[in-house]
Amino acid sequence: MVTAFRSRLKVEGEAVTLLEGNTPLIDCPRLAAWACPGGTLLVKYEGLNPTGSFKDRGMTAAITQAAHDGSRTVICASTGNTAASAAAYAARAGLRCVVLIPEGKVAMGKLAGSIAYGAQVVQIDGSFDDGLRLVREISDKAPITLVNSVNPARVEGQKTAAFEVNDALGQAPDWLCLPVGNAGNISAYWLGFVQDALERGFGTPQLLGGQAAGSAPIVLGHVVEEPETLATAIRIGNPARWFQAKEALADSDGQLWRVSDTEIMEAYGQLSRLEGVFCEPSSAAGVAALRKSVLNGEVEPEGKTFVAVLTGHGLKDPDAAIAGQTDSIAVLAPTYDAIMGVIE
Ligand code: AN7
């Protein structure tokens, strides 16, 4: 667990940790010129956590608490990153881990993680939302601990990201931009910022969330029965922390945008091509929402500081990066002239 913050988190037990957290906050001036001209844009590169996503912050806390409580088995439903993270921390604690994933909708790097860390992987012919309903029922009826973000320890651990942003900037940013799926992360950031405001006197940012257009229940105000998006991590139609996300958005005077897959993939491409920062498609939804809000005149970027949370590493979803691109990579004769022929 992010040891420096341990005393500020409501979690009991000897830490089950992979030394998560302490991720870099990277200044991205070229991306800022594209997304929020006149403003400063920094990205919190959460893909550099041990299993490649922000989920490790909450998972170290949830598994620490589960082990302390004497649990032998943990379970989660997942679009992929929660599963990989739960699998790793359960392995570290010697607990059994079961993960439910929607068949065919989990990116390769996430599935690889869950398998490598030794979880029991169960695919369901259904959505993430079906999976979450099932694991709630299973954890109610059987002695199995639920480690989705409805578990309060998850949110405790995830708050550390807000503390780190404040530490790095010496104050809260004006805006915090992030993707919204099951809405655990946006809820946790808000709790973290509010706690830091009380305990250390930092201000609080306005929150700016992005939901994929085909999976935007909170923006639309109703459950989406069959969510669809290329950003499979946030392919969620009935978020568990819907109410908390609404509250956080209202309390922070925030905004929540619906961004199309095209807008998400554009932001995803700009991040890696303009700044050398490779995230998975879902992670770019916060940047896409920022650009959209600026283009629509709803956010005035001049002189403002924006932090965009990049929730997962680009290598989680190699298929998204190479889709349609491999055919254009020529195979040449291994000669000087052939190679120079395409460089010049
Ligand atoms: C890369 O792994 O829900 O709004 O089961 O993997 O806190 O759900 C993942 C979510 C954003 C959305 N970016 O965060 C799961 C899962 C990435 C993610 C989100 C997820 P929440």
Side-chain angles (χ1 to χ4, degrees), residues 54-55 77-83 110 128 148 158 179-186 233-234 236 280 282-283 311-312:
F54 75 101
K55 302 287 183 183
S78 181
T79 58
N81 279 328
T82 299
K110 306 177 188 181
F128 167 85
N148 280 102
Q158 236 156 272
V180 177
N182 212 25
N185 206 25
I186 191 169
I234 52 174
I236 294 172
E280 63 172 284
S282 303
S283 302
T311 45

Side-chain angles (χ1 to χ4, degrees), residues 144-160:
I144 296 179
T145 304
L146 183 60
V147 293
N148 280 102
S149 61
V150 291
N151 179 322
R154 280 281 308 279
V155 173
E156 282 297 303
Q158 236 156 272
K159 289 190 308 194
T160 57

